[in-house]
Amino acid sequence: MLSGCFSSVKGPAPVEIRGDQPARVYPSRKSDLKVQPLERPSGVAIAKAQPNRAVEVLVRRADDQKRDGDLMGASASLERGLRIAPNEPVLWNRLAAVRLDQKRFSQVEQLAKKSNDLNPSSRLRADNWDLIANAREALGDKRGAKAARSKATTIQ
Amino acid sequence: MLFKRKPSRKKVTRKKKTVRKKARATKSSRSKTKRSTKRQAGLLRRWWRGLLAVGLLGLLLTFAYSIHLSQSVRVAFDGKRWSIPARVFARPLELYVGAQISDEQLRYELGLLGYRAVSKVSDNAQWSESNGVYQIASRAFEFWDGPQWGQKLRVVLQNDQVVELDDAGTRQSLDIVRLEAPSIGSIYPAHREDRILVRRSEIPDHLVAALLAVEDRRFYEHWGIDPRGLARAMFNNLRAGRVVQGGSTLTQQLVKNFLLSSERSITRKVNEALMAFIVESRYSKDEILEAYANEIFLGQDRERSIHGFGLAAQFYFNRPLHELRLHETALLVGMVKGASYYNPRRNPERAKTRRNVVLTAMADQGYITQAQAERAKKAPLGVTQQGKVKDHRYPAFIQMVRDQLRRDYHDEDLTSEGLRIFTTLDPWAQRQASVSANEQLSLIESQRKINKGTLEMAMVMVSPQGGEVRALLGSRNPSSAGFNRALLAQRPIGSLVKPAVYLAALAQPGRYSLTTLLNDKAVDIKMPNGSRWQPKNYDKKEYGNVPLYQGLMRSLNLSTVDLGLSVGLENVVEMVEKLGITEGKAQPYPSLLLGAVSLSPVEVAQMYQTIAAGGYRAPLRAIREVLDAKNQPLQRYGLEVTQVVDNKPVFVLESAMKQVVDQGTARGLKRYLGENPNLAGKTGTTDDLRDSWYAGFGGDHVAVVWVGRDDNKPTGLTGSSGALPIYGQTLRRLGYSPLMQDPPSGVSYEWVDESADLLAGPNCSESIRLPFIQGSEPKRSRACAGGGSSRSGLLDRLFN
């Protein structure tokens, strides 16, 4: 029920997104940190419907936070996104990835499966199976990991 | 710690001073003795020795006593752990383009935050509106994941949606902004003292000026006691013939509040003076002022006492202290003299007179100009309405928060450590639920000639995917802190159990689909205890062969019993438990199939959450995050999900529950939500119409409503006549997002015969489109009797 995290959290990571449309997260903090292009499932496009601009910004912020090691901040940003777009498979996928970094392996599989249940792109689906494979491996389930890995490859 | 002890040097000097003074006194007495006659010398010497002994003893005692007093001052001040109750916050409102927010809601939310409506925004915590364009100057706020800076926003609403969001100054568009989280209450301890700590720096100058003007003119000059002030007070009192002015300094008042009982005696007065002196010698004026500002009693709110200007500002004006204006602080300072006598809500005229006395005194003593005073005197009192008193708005929800916190924190931490609790409450949803419940219950009572006020209710609304509790009503009276029916009432759930029965079946797609025919026929079952169980349909009829989806849609008891017995009672019990009900509650008796299991509305909401989330159970949560008093994160209650049922049968079940709304027992919802609500739900009614239930969900909510009587007498209401109207009206007021339509992979829609296990064409009469898990669809097709021209109908005719 509770995540049981007790370490302290930094403030929101500064976000500055490149592109024609200058997107800004509020609050903005002065910083010259530039955001890298999205890593792994990089091809995942979030539909351009308006509410999703907010979601997209939260995903990018979570990516930054995750990269900076602020895993609780990343969780918080993704959960904030899920309140706005609960059926967005990208959000569930990213949350699974954060849980993997947090070593909460059983949740990784649950969240990745949830993402897969929401009709994601094949690329995202493959990434979800990858996450599941990693989690199973960490839990010592070698056979399960292998099965998941092969699913990931088949999709790709 | 609020008080820092002064460097010990000062204490030592003061002690020395006292000792020196006493030594001088002793010396002078001794010289007097020398002047006495020789004859009497012996006698006197003996007498003197006695006196000296007594004197020394007295001195010793006085010394010991002042050490004792000094000790208690030290304990009370230095060791005082200011009990700061945990503050509870509702969810912050998220603003982004596309957010569904109506004018009415935005105004309500701004009101909750205590933002002032103005014609032109010039300062923090203000807003203005013209032609659907809002200018909002937000306050800064510390969130779990960092601060949200205060900024001027421009928000454009159209058709209940945010269509533009940008920085009012630069007009740069903003992607997402959180308004601050509204404070919804606090968790205070048994002695019911509540306060919001303020630092000296947060106390507005005009408040200090007002205090000095009416309570203690020479505060910065005196040593704790002010003989001149006392004399002036006595003179004024004598002249008036009654007590019009107190002579106590702020320090004395503080000591009185802080340390001593309220008994009236000379001893106490002396103690008070002594201790005021000790306090002054140990602490700076600013420290004393800060303590005073946090300690002073300023009102009673039922069983909770309002201490300090910080809480009083919230309690009377719904704003932080530093935002108060001159006439508002003058009112609070006026209340120091008698918080209940000058209560601005109960005795507005009296309070206003007193406020103006304070303003006059401030002007007379030069703190403000006469013009300022006159302007302030013309201002209305400005206190919020009694009905808006915060801590009574959400007692049921706060109780749930408290219960959840108790698993991780000691009571003492909750009531004294100044924790900040961020919850999931959606105040707007809560309000719509509460208003709808009252409106509908009153309507039902008057239409059905039920004694007014005899019906009770409970309601839970949660987010489907995350299990966050958005609203919780424990009673029809929103401010009732009494029996919390949402959490505690255990009532038989009747037909609300049926989805679990049908899901247990649909999870075996090799055996069951939505068109599997059930046998709706009377049964007579011998129970283990020898009694006989002879369930009936609600209308006492039998319907023979009924397709599975219709059994649920029409809530047919006999069809459900047939299905449940064929699926197996153990499987049904297992499904109920998978959906989130504690093991052991559902027992494998046939009567379970018709709802012979008692659950609270919150437990039912958990069951339906799992269904609404496609088989992923998310434990219901009322809390998101806990911060300590310094805004350091203590704990997150993050999203956690567990898949307990495959999403395919859940999707299929959901479509049958959609039929319940479209044409089944919950079709009455259309009265509230139009012809095509696109929601799933289930009604529930128990024996003799004692409990009326409704449970339903859409894309953004799962809601459970219970209506019944506390004495468990029949209400004459079914699920669709009691609970359903409350759900319908709530959604009508609140708005909702509909169900997601896309079937998961492995599920496809087929046109089937309405009442037989046969495929049919879309243009066939009496056909319906339903989802099937691959391989479970009907194997045979029906010839389209209605002359349909669909392809499958054509094929049917060609090949059958």
Side-chain angles (χ1 to χ4, degrees):
Chain A
M1 176 106 186
L2 51 115
S3 56
C5 301
F6 287 90
S7 66
S8 75
V9 163
K10 288 182 289 177
V15 172
E16 200 179 307
I17 291 168
R18 297 175 190 155
D20 338 351
Q21 187 82 28
R24 235 183 70 187
V25 170
Y26 195 92
S28 61
R29 277 178 169 178
K30 275 186 189 156
S31 158
D32 31 34
L33 229 175
K34 292 277 191 289
V35 169
Q36 301 296 312
L38 295 183
E39 289 165 36
R40 212 174 40 135
S42 51
V44 177
I46 298 173
K48 290 295 173 211
Q50 284 286 27
N52 286 342
R53 213 173 79 180
V55 173
E56 189 175 333
V57 165
L58 289 170
V59 169
R60 282 167 191 259
R61 177 197 276 202
D63 284 346
D64 291 347
Q65 287 167 318
K66 181 171 175 285
R67 204 186 40 239
D68 296 347
D70 177 11
L71 299 177
M72 283 211 289
S75 301
S77 298
L78 292 168
E79 288 176 33
R80 217 177 140 191
L82 279 169
R83 281 178 208 121
I84 296 170
N87 294 318
E88 175 54 68
V90 172
L91 290 164
W92 293 96
N93 162 271
R94 298 300 167 93
L95 196 57
V98 170
R99 295 287 184 261
L100 186 68
D101 284 8
Q102 288 177 320
K103 305 200 186 314
R104 293 170 58 196
F105 301 115
S106 61
Q107 272 300 296
V108 176
E109 173 144 4
Q110 297 295 335
L111 296 164
K113 273 160 89 181
K114 178 80 194 177
S115 175
N116 273 345
D117 275 359
L118 294 164
N119 297 330
S121 66
S122 54
R123 196 156 187 169
L124 194 60
R125 189 182 293 277
D127 188 65
N128 282 326
W129 280 112
D130 252 347
L131 287 168
I132 292 173
N134 290 339
R136 287 180 180 170
E137 222 151 61
L139 289 169
D141 174 11
K142 287 205 176 113
R143 266 178 65 183
K146 209 179 153 195
R149 194 80 67 197
S150 82
K151 282 204 176 191
T153 357
T154 338
I155 295 167
Q156 276 168 342
Chain B
M1 191 54 38
L2 187 66
F3 286 100
K4 274 189 235 99
R5 301 244 333 241
K6 278 185 179 175
S8 51
R9 190 167 42 83
K10 187 153 187 180
K11 256 186 311 180
V12 175
T13 356
R14 196 154 305 286
K15 253 184 216 157
K16 270 186 193 155
K17 248 187 215 164
T18 342
V19 174
R20 236 182 276 135
K21 230 185 257 168
K22 277 167 193 161
R24 265 203 306 274
T26 327
K27 221 187 260 171
S28 76
S29 319
R30 210 175 284 148
S31 63
K32 270 181 207 159
T33 335
K34 277 180 187 167
R35 284 197 294 270
S36 54
T37 61
K38 280 177 189 174
R39 249 188 95 215
Q40 288 170 317
L43 190 70
L44 267 177
R45 202 169 291 137
R46 248 173 289 145
W47 182 76
W48 172 244
R49 267 194 210 122
L51 195 69
L52 191 68
V54 171
L56 275 173
L57 191 69
L59 262 175
L60 211 65
L61 283 175
T62 315
F63 187 63
Y65 186 59
S66 50
I67 285 180
H68 160 75
L69 278 185
S70 166
Q71 194 74 8
S72 37
V73 166
R74 199 173 60 77
V75 167
F77 277 65
D78 294 353
K80 172 90 178 176
R81 285 177 72 242
W82 285 81
S83 287
I84 310 301
R87 291 265 141 224
V88 184
F89 295 90
R91 64 96 184 92
L93 182 67
E94 297 267 15
L95 297 174
Y96 51 90
V97 173
Q100 302 286 328
I101 299 168
S102 63
D103 276 86
E104 202 192 352
Q105 179 183 358
L106 187 58
R107 283 160 192 259
Y108 177 78
E109 304 258 1
L110 292 169
L112 269 186
L113 297 174
Y115 284 25
R116 286 185 226 272
V118 293
S119 52
K120 194 172 182 326
V121 172
S122 61
D123 205 352
N124 260 356
Q126 296 182 338
W127 64 274
S128 69
E129 186 267 338
S130 87
N131 302 323
V133 180
Y134 287 80
Q135 307 268 346
I136 302 167
S138 67
R139 286 190 193 111
F141 190 80
E142 281 290 333
F143 280 104
W144 159 268
D145 50 358
Q148 175 84 58
W149 312 68
Q151 199 161 332
K152 265 192 203 163
L153 305 170
R154 185 177 157 275
V155 184
V156 184
L157 297 185
Q158 239 168 50
N159 302 324
D160 298 345
Q161 212 182 50
V162 177
V163 293
E164 281 177 54
L165 172 67
D166 45 36
D167 182 305
T170 64
R171 291 299 289 274
Q172 194 174 10
S173 77
L174 300 168
D175 291 314
I176 182 162
V177 177
R178 275 179 288 199
L179 290 184
E180 70 200 90
S183 152
I184 54 166
S186 49
I187 297 177
Y188 39 85
H191 59 88
R192 307 294 191 195
E193 264 186 31
D194 195 5
R195 58 168 57 77
I196 295 174
L197 256 200
V198 291
R199 308 266 151 208
R200 172 65 186 88
S201 56
E202 295 164 328
I203 305 173
D205 288 344
H206 49 89
L207 193 150
V208 179
L211 267 180
L212 264 52
V214 294
E215 294 295 330
D216 190 353
R217 289 183 196 198
R218 300 184 59 252
F219 175 69
Y220 281 105
E221 285 107 61
H222 64 63
W223 285 71
I225 312 140
D226 180 20
R228 267 159 65 182
L230 194 65
R232 188 174 53 241
M234 281 171 69
F235 175 74
N236 287 338
N237 292 346
L238 278 173
R239 202 173 53 176
R242 63 196 165 92
V243 181
V244 292
Q245 199 175 349
S248 292
T249 62
L250 292 182
T251 322
Q252 280 172 295
Q253 292 179 32
L254 175 62
V255 163
K256 191 168 101 185
N257 264 300
F258 218 12
L259 300 167
L260 303 164
S261 67
S262 57
E263 132 211 38
R264 285 179 161 229
S265 70
I266 294 290
T267 334
R268 212 210 62 180
K269 275 278 165 205
V270 171
N271 275 343
E272 192 182 292
L274 261 173
M275 288 169 95
F277 189 73
I278 294 169
V279 166
E280 290 272 351
S281 70
R282 276 174 181 264
Y283 304 99
S284 73
K285 289 286 184 186
D286 275 350
E287 285 170 321
I288 293 166
L289 204 58
E290 185 176 284
Y292 182 89
N294 285 307
E295 185 57 39
I296 193 74
F297 172 77
L298 286 165
Q300 193 69 36
D301 175 26
R302 302 195 196 181
E303 74 284 0
R304 173 178 78 139
S305 54
I306 308 295
H307 282 266
F309 289 109
L311 182 62
Q314 284 294 349
F315 180 65
Y316 292 107
F317 302 108
N318 191 23
R319 336 202 93 220
L321 181 61
H322 63 86
E323 282 181 16
L324 294 195
R325 292 168 292 187
L326 174 62
H327 66 272
E328 293 163 337
T329 46
L331 177 70
L332 293 186
V333 169
M335 289 169 63
V336 166
K337 203 177 160 199
S340 110
Y341 188 80
Y342 295 110
N343 182 328
R345 290 201 180 102
R346 250 179 302 139
N347 309 313
E349 279 312 308
R350 212 184 269 165
K352 199 167 192 173
T353 314
R354 174 68 188 159
R355 177 194 78 179
N356 293 350
V357 167
V358 175
L359 289 164
T360 307
M362 289 176 80
D364 287 350
Q365 291 171 50
Y367 289 113
I368 53 173
T369 63
Q370 291 293 350
Q372 279 175 313
E374 286 315 309
R375 224 176 307 131
K377 283 181 194 174
K378 289 200 185 87
L381 283 177
V383 290
T384 55
Q385 291 158 27
Q386 186 75 5
K388 290 196 174 175
V389 176
K390 280 191 172 169
D391 288 57
H392 303 308
R393 266 190 241 161
Y394 316 105
F397 181 79
I398 301 260
Q399 188 186 352
M400 187 177 193
V401 168
R402 214 179 159 135
D403 287 354
Q404 194 184 329
L405 286 170
R406 278 217 185 98
R407 294 177 216 152
D408 302 312
Y409 296 91
H410 297 293
D411 260 2
E412 201 189 296
D413 297 338
L414 294 177
T415 55
S416 66
E417 294 301 323
L419 301 182
R420 298 170 78 223
I421 319 278
F422 290 86
T423 72
T424 58
L425 184 83
D426 175 344
W428 180 241
Q430 174 81 14
R431 178 165 168 78
Q432 301 317 313
S434 165
V435 169
S436 306
N438 276 287
E439 190 185 281
Q440 294 301 312
L441 287 184
S442 301
L443 199 67
I444 292 167
E445 282 170 348
S446 74
Q447 281 171 351
R448 295 178 173 251
K449 313 237 174 328
I450 299 172
N451 280 346
K452 238 178 143 183
T454 46
L455 293 177
E456 257 303 348
M457 62 83 61
M459 181 168 181
V460 188
M461 184 185 277
V462 308
S463 70
Q465 303 296 342
E468 291 193 331
V469 179
R470 293 178 62 194
L472 188 91
L473 297 177
S475 154
R476 67 190 286 182
N477 173 5
S479 65
S480 161
F483 185 53
N484 192 337
R485 293 160 193 83
L487 300 179
L488 302 172
Q490 298 274 328
R491 310 290 293 224
I493 65 171
S495 301
L496 290 196
V497 80
K498 285 177 184 165
V501 179
Y502 285 75
L503 185 55
L506 292 166
Q508 305 180 34
R511 290 182 68 193
Y512 303 97
S513 75
L514 289 184
T515 47
T516 303
L517 291 178
L518 307 178
N519 191 7
D520 195 82
K521 195 165 166 273
V523 287
D524 185 344
I525 296 169
K526 202 173 164 194
M527 303 294 284
N529 65 3
S531 68
R532 309 196 79 89
W533 189 56
Q534 297 161 315
K536 304 255 179 323
N537 278 332
Y538 182 71
D539 59 8
K540 315 280 188 245
K541 290 183 190 158
E542 296 174 28
Y543 291 93
N545 277 349
V546 171
L548 185 139
Y549 80 94
Q550 285 208 16
L552 186 64
M553 184 182 99
R554 293 155 70 188
S555 202
L556 297 174
N557 289 342
L558 297 177
S559 301
T560 307
V561 170
D562 179 47
L563 180 66
L565 293 176
S566 115
V567 169
L569 292 172
E570 295 295 342
N571 284 333
V572 173
V573 169
E574 196 192 327
M575 183 55 74
V576 169
E577 288 168 359
K578 276 182 178 171
L579 294 176
I581 301 307
T582 320
E583 262 178 57
K585 282 214 160 185
Q587 292 293 326
Y589 299 128
S591 57
L592 168 67
L593 301 171
L594 301 182
V597 52
S598 290
L599 298 177
S600 70
V602 164
E603 288 172 302
V604 176
Q606 179 73 73
M607 266 181 80
Y608 279 75
Q609 178 277 323
T610 310
I611 297 170
Y616 288 83
R617 188 176 68 217
L620 300 193
R621 292 171 298 155
I623 304 172
R624 290 177 183 169
E625 285 120 10
V626 179
L627 302 188
D628 70 11
K630 294 187 182 108
N631 292 322
Q632 291 303 306
L634 282 183
Q635 203 159 359
R636 271 202 88 224
Y637 295 80
L639 174 63
E640 245 175 64
V641 298
T642 310
Q643 188 180 32
V644 290
V645 196
D646 186 71
N647 68 333
K648 292 186 283 291
V650 177
F651 183 84
V652 173
L653 172 75
E654 186 183 296
S655 78
M657 292 173 73
K658 192 169 168 290
Q659 291 301 320
V660 174
V661 175
D662 289 349
Q663 43 176 339
T665 51
R667 61 187 178 279
L669 266 186
K670 294 178 184 177
R671 280 204 307 276
Y672 303 89
L673 305 172
E675 264 316 296
N676 190 16
N678 205 352
L679 293 168
K682 186 72 197 79
T683 54
T685 311
T686 61
D687 289 350
D688 307 324
L689 309 177
R690 291 176 203 276
D691 303 278
S692 163
W693 287 96
Y694 188 77
F697 55 90
D700 59 356
H701 71 276
V702 177
V704 176
V705 181
W706 170 87
V707 173
R709 290 173 56 126
D710 284 346
D711 59 11
N712 199 25
K713 283 187 180 148
T715 59
L717 299 169
T718 61
S720 54
S721 61
L724 180 142
I726 295 176
Y727 173 77
Q729 184 65 4
T730 303
L731 287 205
R732 177 154 84 184
R733 288 173 158 276
L734 184 62
Y736 66 95
S737 60
L739 289 173
M740 208 179 63
Q741 294 281 26
D742 301 346
S745 58
V747 174
S748 53
Y749 278 96
E750 303 290 345
W751 282 99
V752 293
D753 191 286
E754 260 185 15
S755 47
D757 192 14
L758 293 171
L759 291 169
N763 296 329
C764 284
S765 59
E766 286 153 17
S767 67
I768 182 172
R769 200 165 167 262
L770 293 174
F772 290 87
I773 298 174
Q774 264 161 31
S776 73
E777 52 279 279
K779 300 291 173 282
R780 293 184 307 130
S781 303
R782 132 178 108 111
C784 213
S789 58
S790 79
R791 245 176 66 200
S792 66
L794 200 69
L795 289 173
D796 287 344
R797 260 173 282 155
L798 282 173
F799 298 108
N800 269 4

